[in-house]
Amino acid sequence: MMTNKFETAVASLNQAKTQAAAQAYAAGASILVWQSMPSWMSAASVAQKFCIAFAFFAPCLLIMKVVLGWF
């Protein structure tokens, strides 16, 4: 009975070490990918910011046109 608990504890520790190593590997890989981003990613970033700005600006235009009748 004692060996069963010990084996379970050791297996749990090994699983935690494996999970930590996998997370560290994933973090390192994401840093390497981020540093070597191609130039088209900057265009994608600009497009993303444009879409976000439009999402904030469109309701304002809609209110000015429909509610206030300015256009």
PDB file of all heavy atoms in Angstrom, residues 1 3-5 12 14 16 20-21 23 25 27-28 36 41-43 45-47 54 57-58 63 66-67 69:
ATOM      1  N   MET A   1       0.824  -1.188   0.000  1.00  0.00           N
ATOM      2  CA  MET A   1       0.000   0.000   0.000  1.00  0.00           C
ATOM      3  C   MET A   1       0.872   1.258   0.000  1.00  0.00           C
ATOM      4  O   MET A   1       0.548   2.222  -0.647  1.00  0.00           O
ATOM      5  CB  MET A   1      -0.928  -0.030   1.208  1.00  0.00           C
ATOM      6  CG  MET A   1      -1.781   1.184   1.310  1.00  0.00           C
ATOM      7  SD  MET A   1      -3.377   0.697   1.908  1.00  0.00           S
ATOM      8  CE  MET A   1      -4.236   2.189   1.781  1.00  0.00           C
ATOM      9  N   THR A   3       3.869   1.597  -1.244  1.00  0.00           N
ATOM     10  CA  THR A   3       4.528   1.791  -2.531  1.00  0.00           C
ATOM     11  C   THR A   3       3.571   2.349  -3.562  1.00  0.00           C
ATOM     12  O   THR A   3       3.978   3.097  -4.448  1.00  0.00           O
ATOM     13  CB  THR A   3       5.118   0.464  -3.040  1.00  0.00           C
ATOM     14  OG1 THR A   3       4.080  -0.498  -3.121  1.00  0.00           O
ATOM     15  CG2 THR A   3       6.234  -0.020  -2.141  1.00  0.00           C
ATOM     16  N   ASN A   4       2.306   2.029  -3.459  1.00  0.00           N
ATOM     17  CA  ASN A   4       1.315   2.550  -4.395  1.00  0.00           C
ATOM     18  C   ASN A   4       1.191   4.072  -4.248  1.00  0.00           C
ATOM     19  O   ASN A   4       1.140   4.792  -5.237  1.00  0.00           O
ATOM     20  CB  ASN A   4      -0.029   1.860  -4.188  1.00  0.00           C
ATOM     21  CG  ASN A   4      -1.009   2.193  -5.296  1.00  0.00           C
ATOM     22  OD1 ASN A   4      -0.625   2.690  -6.344  1.00  0.00           O
ATOM     23  ND2 ASN A   4      -2.265   1.910  -5.054  1.00  0.00           N
ATOM     24  N   LYS A   5       1.147   4.561  -3.010  1.00  0.00           N
ATOM     25  CA  LYS A   5       1.074   6.000  -2.774  1.00  0.00           C
ATOM     26  C   LYS A   5       2.357   6.686  -3.234  1.00  0.00           C
ATOM     27  O   LYS A   5       2.323   7.770  -3.812  1.00  0.00           O
ATOM     28  CB  LYS A   5       0.824   6.291  -1.297  1.00  0.00           C
ATOM     29  CG  LYS A   5      -0.564   5.967  -0.830  1.00  0.00           C
ATOM     30  CD  LYS A   5      -0.748   6.330   0.632  1.00  0.00           C
ATOM     31  CE  LYS A   5      -2.129   5.984   1.124  1.00  0.00           C
ATOM     32  NZ  LYS A   5      -2.313   6.336   2.523  1.00  0.00           N
ATOM     33  N   SER A  12       3.055  11.916 -10.187  1.00  0.00           N
ATOM     34  CA  SER A  12       2.503  13.274 -10.181  1.00  0.00           C
ATOM     35  C   SER A  12       3.602  14.315 -10.320  1.00  0.00           C
ATOM     36  O   SER A  12       3.459  15.297 -11.052  1.00  0.00           O
ATOM     37  CB  SER A  12       1.715  13.511  -8.891  1.00  0.00           C
ATOM     38  OG  SER A  12       1.266  14.836  -8.827  1.00  0.00           O
ATOM     39  N   ASN A  14       6.573  13.857 -11.724  1.00  0.00           N
ATOM     40  CA  ASN A  14       7.105  13.756 -13.081  1.00  0.00           C
ATOM     41  C   ASN A  14       6.192  14.442 -14.084  1.00  0.00           C
ATOM     42  O   ASN A  14       6.642  15.097 -15.018  1.00  0.00           O
ATOM     43  CB  ASN A  14       7.313  12.294 -13.467  1.00  0.00           C
ATOM     44  CG  ASN A  14       8.501  11.693 -12.750  1.00  0.00           C
ATOM     45  OD1 ASN A  14       9.401  12.412 -12.311  1.00  0.00           O
ATOM     46  ND2 ASN A  14       8.501  10.379 -12.622  1.00  0.00           N
ATOM     47  N   ALA A  16       4.196  16.983 -13.408  1.00  0.00           N
ATOM     48  CA  ALA A  16       4.329  18.424 -13.198  1.00  0.00           C
ATOM     49  C   ALA A  16       5.611  18.942 -13.848  1.00  0.00           C
ATOM     50  O   ALA A  16       5.613  20.020 -14.462  1.00  0.00           O
ATOM     51  CB  ALA A  16       4.324  18.738 -11.708  1.00  0.00           C
ATOM     52  N   ALA A  20       5.771  21.655 -16.915  1.00  0.00           N
ATOM     53  CA  ALA A  20       6.545  22.883 -16.796  1.00  0.00           C
ATOM     54  C   ALA A  20       7.548  23.003 -17.928  1.00  0.00           C
ATOM     55  O   ALA A  20       7.747  24.091 -18.487  1.00  0.00           O
ATOM     56  CB  ALA A  20       7.263  22.918 -15.446  1.00  0.00           C
ATOM     57  N   ALA A  21       8.164  21.902 -18.303  1.00  0.00           N
ATOM     58  CA  ALA A  21       9.115  21.933 -19.419  1.00  0.00           C
ATOM     59  C   ALA A  21       8.404  22.252 -20.724  1.00  0.00           C
ATOM     60  O   ALA A  21       8.923  23.010 -21.555  1.00  0.00           O
ATOM     61  CB  ALA A  21       9.827  20.594 -19.524  1.00  0.00           C
ATOM     62  N   GLN A  23       5.652  24.041 -21.077  1.00  0.00           N
ATOM     63  CA  GLN A  23       5.274  25.448 -21.053  1.00  0.00           C
ATOM     64  C   GLN A  23       6.480  26.338 -21.318  1.00  0.00           C
ATOM     65  O   GLN A  23       6.372  27.349 -22.017  1.00  0.00           O
ATOM     66  CB  GLN A  23       4.630  25.797 -19.713  1.00  0.00           C
ATOM     67  CG  GLN A  23       3.253  25.213 -19.545  1.00  0.00           C
ATOM     68  CD  GLN A  23       2.678  25.455 -18.161  1.00  0.00           C
ATOM     69  OE1 GLN A  23       3.387  25.871 -17.248  1.00  0.00           O
ATOM     70  NE2 GLN A  23       1.396  25.187 -17.999  1.00  0.00           N
ATOM     71  N   TYR A  25       9.116  25.498 -23.085  1.00  0.00           N
ATOM     72  CA  TYR A  25       9.422  25.338 -24.504  1.00  0.00           C
ATOM     73  C   TYR A  25       8.485  26.181 -25.360  1.00  0.00           C
ATOM     74  O   TYR A  25       8.913  26.842 -26.310  1.00  0.00           O
ATOM     75  CB  TYR A  25       9.319  23.867 -24.894  1.00  0.00           C
ATOM     76  CG  TYR A  25       9.590  23.612 -26.349  1.00  0.00           C
ATOM     77  CD1 TYR A  25      10.887  23.616 -26.849  1.00  0.00           C
ATOM     78  CD2 TYR A  25       8.547  23.383 -27.237  1.00  0.00           C
ATOM     79  CE1 TYR A  25      11.137  23.397 -28.182  1.00  0.00           C
ATOM     80  CE2 TYR A  25       8.787  23.156 -28.568  1.00  0.00           C
ATOM     81  CZ  TYR A  25      10.083  23.164 -29.039  1.00  0.00           C
ATOM     82  OH  TYR A  25      10.323  22.960 -30.366  1.00  0.00           O
ATOM     83  N   ALA A  27       6.872  28.905 -24.481  1.00  0.00           N
ATOM     84  CA  ALA A  27       7.181  30.320 -24.288  1.00  0.00           C
ATOM     85  C   ALA A  27       8.417  30.718 -25.086  1.00  0.00           C
ATOM     86  O   ALA A  27       8.437  31.774 -25.735  1.00  0.00           O
ATOM     87  CB  ALA A  27       7.391  30.612 -22.807  1.00  0.00           C
ATOM     88  N   GLY A  28       9.436  29.891 -25.073  1.00  0.00           N
ATOM     89  CA  GLY A  28      10.642  30.183 -25.841  1.00  0.00           C
ATOM     90  C   GLY A  28      10.374  30.193 -27.331  1.00  0.00           C
ATOM     91  O   GLY A  28      10.880  31.049 -28.066  1.00  0.00           O
ATOM     92  N   SER A  36      11.153  37.040 -35.187  1.00  0.00           N
ATOM     93  CA  SER A  36      11.388  36.873 -36.617  1.00  0.00           C
ATOM     94  C   SER A  36      10.115  37.066 -37.427  1.00  0.00           C
ATOM     95  O   SER A  36       9.927  36.424 -38.445  1.00  0.00           O
ATOM     96  CB  SER A  36      11.971  35.487 -36.880  1.00  0.00           C
ATOM     97  OG  SER A  36      11.035  34.501 -36.483  1.00  0.00           O
ATOM     98  N   MET A  41       3.392  41.189 -41.200  1.00  0.00           N
ATOM     99  CA  MET A  41       2.723  41.237 -39.909  1.00  0.00           C
ATOM    100  C   MET A  41       2.476  42.674 -39.460  1.00  0.00           C
ATOM    101  O   MET A  41       1.505  42.956 -38.777  1.00  0.00           O
ATOM    102  CB  MET A  41       3.537  40.489 -38.857  1.00  0.00           C
ATOM    103  CG  MET A  41       3.494  38.986 -39.011  1.00  0.00           C
ATOM    104  SD  MET A  41       1.854  38.292 -38.859  1.00  0.00           S
ATOM    105  CE  MET A  41       1.554  38.521 -37.141  1.00  0.00           C
ATOM    106  N   SER A  42       3.360  43.594 -39.864  1.00  0.00           N
ATOM    107  CA  SER A  42       3.118  44.990 -39.513  1.00  0.00           C
ATOM    108  C   SER A  42       1.895  45.510 -40.264  1.00  0.00           C
ATOM    109  O   SER A  42       1.122  46.299 -39.730  1.00  0.00           O
ATOM    110  CB  SER A  42       4.347  45.833 -39.812  1.00  0.00           C
ATOM    111  OG  SER A  42       4.635  45.818 -41.195  1.00  0.00           O
ATOM    112  N   ALA A  43       1.702  45.068 -41.497  1.00  0.00           N
ATOM    113  CA  ALA A  43       0.508  45.460 -42.249  1.00  0.00           C
ATOM    114  C   ALA A  43      -0.735  44.867 -41.598  1.00  0.00           C
ATOM    115  O   ALA A  43      -1.781  45.526 -41.522  1.00  0.00           O
ATOM    116  CB  ALA A  43       0.627  44.997 -43.692  1.00  0.00           C
ATOM    117  N   SER A  45      -1.042  44.272 -38.461  1.00  0.00           N
ATOM    118  CA  SER A  45      -1.255  45.040 -37.235  1.00  0.00           C
ATOM    119  C   SER A  45      -1.967  46.352 -37.540  1.00  0.00           C
ATOM    120  O   SER A  45      -2.863  46.770 -36.801  1.00  0.00           O
ATOM    121  CB  SER A  45       0.089  45.300 -36.559  1.00  0.00           C
ATOM    122  OG  SER A  45      -0.083  46.085 -35.415  1.00  0.00           O
ATOM    123  N   VAL A  46      -1.574  47.003 -38.629  1.00  0.00           N
ATOM    124  CA  VAL A  46      -2.238  48.248 -39.033  1.00  0.00           C
ATOM    125  C   VAL A  46      -3.698  47.976 -39.380  1.00  0.00           C
ATOM    126  O   VAL A  46      -4.598  48.735 -38.994  1.00  0.00           O
ATOM    127  CB  VAL A  46      -1.484  48.901 -40.214  1.00  0.00           C
ATOM    128  CG1 VAL A  46      -2.288  50.038 -40.805  1.00  0.00           C
ATOM    129  CG2 VAL A  46      -0.125  49.380 -39.769  1.00  0.00           C
ATOM    130  N   ALA A  47      -3.953  46.893 -40.104  1.00  0.00           N
ATOM    131  CA  ALA A  47      -5.329  46.538 -40.463  1.00  0.00           C
ATOM    132  C   ALA A  47      -6.166  46.235 -39.220  1.00  0.00           C
ATOM    133  O   ALA A  47      -7.334  46.626 -39.142  1.00  0.00           O
ATOM    134  CB  ALA A  47      -5.319  45.347 -41.405  1.00  0.00           C
ATOM    135  N   PHE A  54     -12.571  51.573 -36.484  1.00  0.00           N
ATOM    136  CA  PHE A  54     -13.855  51.642 -37.173  1.00  0.00           C
ATOM    137  C   PHE A  54     -14.984  51.161 -36.273  1.00  0.00           C
ATOM    138  O   PHE A  54     -16.075  51.728 -36.284  1.00  0.00           O
ATOM    139  CB  PHE A  54     -13.816  50.817 -38.465  1.00  0.00           C
ATOM    140  CG  PHE A  54     -15.093  50.867 -39.230  1.00  0.00           C
ATOM    141  CD1 PHE A  54     -15.403  51.984 -39.984  1.00  0.00           C
ATOM    142  CD2 PHE A  54     -15.984  49.811 -39.190  1.00  0.00           C
ATOM    143  CE1 PHE A  54     -16.584  52.042 -40.699  1.00  0.00           C
ATOM    144  CE2 PHE A  54     -17.164  49.858 -39.889  1.00  0.00           C
ATOM    145  CZ  PHE A  54     -17.476  50.976 -40.652  1.00  0.00           C
ATOM    146  N   PHE A  57     -15.782  54.009 -34.121  1.00  0.00           N
ATOM    147  CA  PHE A  57     -16.222  55.217 -34.817  1.00  0.00           C
ATOM    148  C   PHE A  57     -17.578  55.045 -35.499  1.00  0.00           C
ATOM    149  O   PHE A  57     -18.346  56.000 -35.608  1.00  0.00           O
ATOM    150  CB  PHE A  57     -15.159  55.616 -35.848  1.00  0.00           C
ATOM    151  CG  PHE A  57     -15.353  56.981 -36.423  1.00  0.00           C
ATOM    152  CD1 PHE A  57     -15.335  58.101 -35.606  1.00  0.00           C
ATOM    153  CD2 PHE A  57     -15.552  57.146 -37.783  1.00  0.00           C
ATOM    154  CE1 PHE A  57     -15.493  59.361 -36.134  1.00  0.00           C
ATOM    155  CE2 PHE A  57     -15.724  58.403 -38.316  1.00  0.00           C
ATOM    156  CZ  PHE A  57     -15.697  59.515 -37.498  1.00  0.00           C
ATOM    157  N   ALA A  58     -17.895  53.835 -35.953  1.00  0.00           N
ATOM    158  CA  ALA A  58     -19.139  53.589 -36.686  1.00  0.00           C
ATOM    159  C   ALA A  58     -20.390  53.908 -35.863  1.00  0.00           C
ATOM    160  O   ALA A  58     -21.316  54.538 -36.394  1.00  0.00           O
ATOM    161  CB  ALA A  58     -19.165  52.156 -37.197  1.00  0.00           C
ATOM    162  N   ILE A  63     -25.224  57.354 -34.903  1.00  0.00           N
ATOM    163  CA  ILE A  63     -26.014  58.228 -34.025  1.00  0.00           C
ATOM    164  C   ILE A  63     -26.153  59.616 -34.637  1.00  0.00           C
ATOM    165  O   ILE A  63     -27.235  60.210 -34.628  1.00  0.00           O
ATOM    166  CB  ILE A  63     -25.379  58.289 -32.620  1.00  0.00           C
ATOM    167  CG1 ILE A  63     -25.590  56.961 -31.899  1.00  0.00           C
ATOM    168  CG2 ILE A  63     -25.958  59.435 -31.798  1.00  0.00           C
ATOM    169  CD1 ILE A  63     -24.863  56.841 -30.589  1.00  0.00           C
ATOM    170  N   VAL A  66     -28.676  59.037 -37.810  1.00  0.00           N
ATOM    171  CA  VAL A  66     -30.048  58.602 -37.572  1.00  0.00           C
ATOM    172  C   VAL A  66     -30.731  59.440 -36.500  1.00  0.00           C
ATOM    173  O   VAL A  66     -31.842  59.945 -36.689  1.00  0.00           O
ATOM    174  CB  VAL A  66     -30.064  57.095 -37.187  1.00  0.00           C
ATOM    175  CG1 VAL A  66     -31.453  56.656 -36.793  1.00  0.00           C
ATOM    176  CG2 VAL A  66     -29.523  56.261 -38.314  1.00  0.00           C
ATOM    177  N   VAL A  67     -30.072  59.609 -35.372  1.00  0.00           N
ATOM    178  CA  VAL A  67     -30.722  60.291 -34.251  1.00  0.00           C
ATOM    179  C   VAL A  67     -30.710  61.801 -34.422  1.00  0.00           C
ATOM    180  O   VAL A  67     -31.731  62.482 -34.263  1.00  0.00           O
ATOM    181  CB  VAL A  67     -30.042  59.881 -32.921  1.00  0.00           C
ATOM    182  CG1 VAL A  67     -30.639  60.646 -31.756  1.00  0.00           C
ATOM    183  CG2 VAL A  67     -30.186  58.386 -32.701  1.00  0.00           C
ATOM    184  N   GLY A  69     -29.691  63.522 -37.233  1.00  0.00           N
ATOM    185  CA  GLY A  69     -30.019  63.959 -38.590  1.00  0.00           C
ATOM    186  C   GLY A  69     -29.012  64.955 -39.144  1.00  0.00           C
ATOM    187  O   GLY A  69     -29.386  65.874 -39.884  1.00  0.00           O
TER     188      GLY A  69
END
